[in-house]
């Protein structure tokens, strides 16, 4: 694995930490959206946008939703936008599968908190990269993840492979992760790893911590295998292309 440097320790309370890095050529071959497409690339970490108490409330949303299903392997997904929920070795549509029972699981307040948190993260990313937040759009997939040490059963469970978000998802220009549990307290392993030439830069999850970065191959990354406990997070990503925009989830 080469040399590992810690970008953000679990024990630190970071106001704003930002590292600018050269942009890759990924953006050159795609349509540019003025005022949004990255000209400045990098990665940031902050513990000052979402409180620990808010992170706990959001984790309870994830826990309630994922209690309806869950993967047989180590990684379970819940997407409130599309309704995708891991169930065994497959996915089901949460809203079609459970129908009116959804209102017994989630509340309007849950979705309002989700929207508020998304807006604050969007504003933080825009501020860090010097762009207008109105020129960024939420894009899919945006999802909760619950990861434990259970052996993978399908390729969907194999979350630890290095990847580039813009290659994997296409529409992503800016990626963020909001961590909902604590490294070394709630789980072991499971650190986020930026894979740079010559060294790895790790982010140790902490409830309420937001990690964000440009989605091109300048930020090749992976997640370490979780060795024990349960790791909760939510991936919230943004596009510069209004045709790839999605709305906030609503309680149907």
């Amino acid at each position: 694995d080469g040399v590992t440097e810690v970008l953000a320790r679990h024990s630190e309370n970071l106001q704003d930490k930002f590292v600018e890095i050269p942009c890759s050529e990924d953006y050159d071959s795609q349509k540019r959206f003025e005022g949004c497409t990255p000209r400045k690339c990098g990665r940031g970490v902050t513990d000052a946008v979402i409180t620990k108490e808010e992170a706990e409330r959001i984790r309870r949303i994830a826990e309630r939703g994922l209690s309806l299903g869950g993967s047989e392997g180590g990684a379970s997904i819940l997407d409130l936008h599309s309704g995708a929920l891991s169930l065994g070795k497959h996915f089901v549509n949460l809203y079609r599968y459970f129908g009116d029972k959804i209102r017994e699981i989630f509340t309007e307040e849950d979705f309002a908190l989700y929207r508020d948190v998304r807006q604050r993260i969007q504003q933080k990313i825009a501020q860090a990269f010097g762009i207008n937040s109105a020129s960024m759009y939420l894009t899919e997939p945006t999802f909760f993840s619950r990861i434990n040490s259970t052996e993978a059963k399908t390729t969907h469970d194999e979350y630890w492979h290095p990847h580039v978000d813009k290659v994997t998802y296409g529409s992503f220009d800016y990626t963020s992760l909001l961590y909902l549990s604590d490294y070394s307290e709630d789980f072991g392993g499971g650190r986020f790893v930026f894979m740079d030439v010559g060294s790895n830069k790790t982010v140790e999850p902490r409830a309420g911590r937001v990690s964000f970065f440009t989605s091109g191959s300048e930020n090749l990354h992976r997640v370490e295998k979780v060795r024990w406990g349960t790791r909760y997070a939510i991936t919230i990503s943004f596009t510069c292309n209004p045709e790839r925009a999605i709305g906030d989830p609503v309680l149907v």
Side-chain angles (χ1 to χ4, degrees), residues 13-80:
N13 188 346
L14 297 170
Q15 287 300 303
D16 285 300
K17 185 167 189 174
F18 185 81
V19 179
E20 187 171 349
I21 55 178
C23 291
S24 64
E25 297 177 357
D26 298 5
Y27 310 98
D28 298 340
S29 60
Q30 300 192 357
K31 181 179 178 181
R32 297 194 69 87
F33 294 87
E34 200 57 43
C36 180
T37 298
R39 294 188 180 277
K40 166 182 164 182
C41 292
R43 54 190 69 147
V45 183
T46 178
D47 296 316
V49 175
I50 310 300
T51 69
K52 200 171 182 74
E53 187 263 341
E54 287 169 332
E56 288 170 357
R57 287 169 58 198
I58 296 168
R59 189 181 73 206
R60 289 196 288 273
I61 298 172
E63 288 171 339
R64 292 198 303 272
L66 286 162
S67 72
L68 300 172
S71 167
E72 288 181 11
S76 298
I77 296 299
L78 167 65
D79 184 335
L80 290 180

Side-chain angles (χ1 to χ4, degrees), residues 140-188:
E140 61 182 358
T142 287
F143 56 90
F144 291 104
S145 58
R146 182 186 70 194
I147 305 175
N148 59 35
S149 59
T150 306
E151 184 182 348
K153 300 294 194 300
T154 72
T155 54
H156 294 298
D157 298 320
E158 297 177 6
Y159 56 84
W160 53 82
H161 299 298
H163 65 279
V164 172
D165 286 349
K166 193 147 194 66
V167 174
T168 303
Y169 299 113
S171 64
F172 285 24
D173 289 301
Y174 299 92
T175 305
S176 76
L177 292 143
L178 168 59
Y179 296 110
L180 306 175
S181 51
D182 290 294
Y183 170 75
S184 80
E185 295 180 21
D186 298 314
F187 61 91

Side-chain angles (χ1 to χ4, degrees), residues 216-231:
S217 51
E218 68 276 357
N219 280 313
L220 175 70
H221 61 273
R222 66 182 178 90
V223 173
E224 293 176 328
K225 288 185 180 181
V226 171
R227 297 194 309 272
W228 58 266
T230 305
R231 178 191 192 271

Side-chain angles (χ1 to χ4, degrees), residues 70-143:
S71 167
E72 288 181 11
S76 298
I77 296 299
L78 167 65
D79 184 335
L80 290 180
H81 298 265
S82 69
L85 172 70
S86 300
L87 187 66
K89 294 181 180 177
H90 306 284
F91 290 91
V92 296
N93 185 303
L94 179 77
Y95 302 120
R96 285 205 296 267
Y97 201 77
F98 294 99
D100 292 340
K101 288 183 179 178
I102 288 301
R103 285 190 166 271
E104 299 172 15
I105 304 297
F106 303 121
T107 66
E108 295 287 359
E109 290 76 16
D110 292 337
F111 280 63
L113 175 62
Y114 184 102
R115 287 193 298 274
D116 181 39
V117 163
R118 186 274 302 163
Q119 288 167 354
R120 277 185 268 161
I121 291 172
Q122 183 168 345
Q123 288 164 359
K124 169 52 67 177
I125 293 172
Q127 177 190 17
F129 289 100
I131 60 176
N132 185 344
S133 66
S135 64
M136 299 164 59
Y137 305 92
L138 192 65
T139 192
E140 61 182 358
T142 287
F143 56 90

